[in-house]
Amino acid sequence: MRNTRALAAAGAAVAVLGVAAPAAVADGGRVPNPSNIVALPSVIARGGQLTITVDGCPNGGHATSNAFERTNLTPVSGGNDAGGGGNDAGRGGIDAGRGGIDAGRGGNDTARGIATIHQDARPGSYDITVHCSGRSLTRPAAFTVIGGVRGGIGGSSATGATPTDMAIGGSLVAAAVVGSGVFWMRRRAEKRI
């Protein structure tokens, strides 16, 4: 029983060091490399604004996609992400170790930009390619474009009720009127007896 516990503790220690050591070594003399492309919201309507965030892009750069024009990425100030490590630490586990590394970098390797989706973009998934410090990274299916929304007339309605919709609605109303009439006539007949 003691051997099993000792073996489990040793395995856990090796796993933690195996995850933390490469990140610490890579941070020492690293060359900026774009990574972790995040597009929010992940599902967006045509004409909407998409926020693109990229790690490993300390000097900024640009992002491209078939759904929007070339968008500049500007470095995020160090104060915003330096505190972000603390938020990850609250989640516990591996993120807690990562929080210290992120806080040490000062958060100045993150870049962000806002892209406007083309009004004529076809619905579907789109890739984003980021170019930073002479390096490129593509994230396939980074976001999905959906059809535009017409506000004020019930959300995503494109043309209103079709003739088929009107026929179905009319027949339901007629059935309700006939059913109510029959019910009323039967109740009236029961009161007479």
Side-chain angles (χ1 to χ4, degrees), residues 37-55:
I37 300 171
V38 177
L40 292 175
S42 61
V43 177
I44 188 166
R46 292 178 276 198
Q49 291 192 325
L50 184 72
T51 301
I52 304 163
T53 307
V54 184
D55 291 337

Side-chain angles (χ1 to χ4, degrees), residues 3-193:
N3 289 340
T4 306
R5 287 183 188 165
L7 186 58
V14 168
V16 169
L17 288 175
V19 170
V25 170
D27 193 49
R30 69 183 170 90
V31 175
N33 231 356
S35 65
N36 194 30
I37 300 171
V38 177
L40 292 175
S42 61
V43 177
I44 188 166
R46 292 178 276 198
Q49 291 192 325
L50 184 72
T51 301
I52 304 163
T53 307
V54 184
D55 291 337
C57 198
N59 301 320
H62 66 273
T64 58
S65 176
N66 291 335
F68 56 80
E69 297 292 325
R70 177 179 158 156
T71 301
N72 290 328
L73 302 172
T74 56
V76 176
S77 64
N80 291 343
D81 286 5
N87 292 339
D88 288 343
R91 283 190 244 156
I94 295 172
D95 287 343
R98 203 184 87 206
I101 294 170
D102 286 347
R105 279 191 232 152
N108 60 358
D109 68 338
T110 301
R112 184 172 295 139
I114 297 177
T116 301
I117 304 300
H118 294 305
Q119 289 289 346
D120 61 350
R122 290 185 161 199
S125 295
Y126 286 88
D127 301 348
I128 294 178
T129 300
V130 172
H131 308 277
C132 297
S133 305
R135 297 182 185 228
S136 298
L137 176 67
T138 299
R139 177 173 176 206
F143 64 99
T144 301
V145 173
I146 57 174
V149 174
R150 292 179 62 186
I153 60 167
S156 62
S157 173
T159 58
T162 65
T164 304
D165 295 336
M166 296 297 286
I168 292 171
S171 63
L172 289 173
V173 169
V177 169
V178 170
S180 297
V182 169
F183 178 76
W184 182 74
M185 294 297 284
R186 290 185 80 194
R187 293 287 293 172
R188 187 172 174 205
E190 287 176 6
K191 286 185 179 180
R192 285 186 180 174
I193 297 180

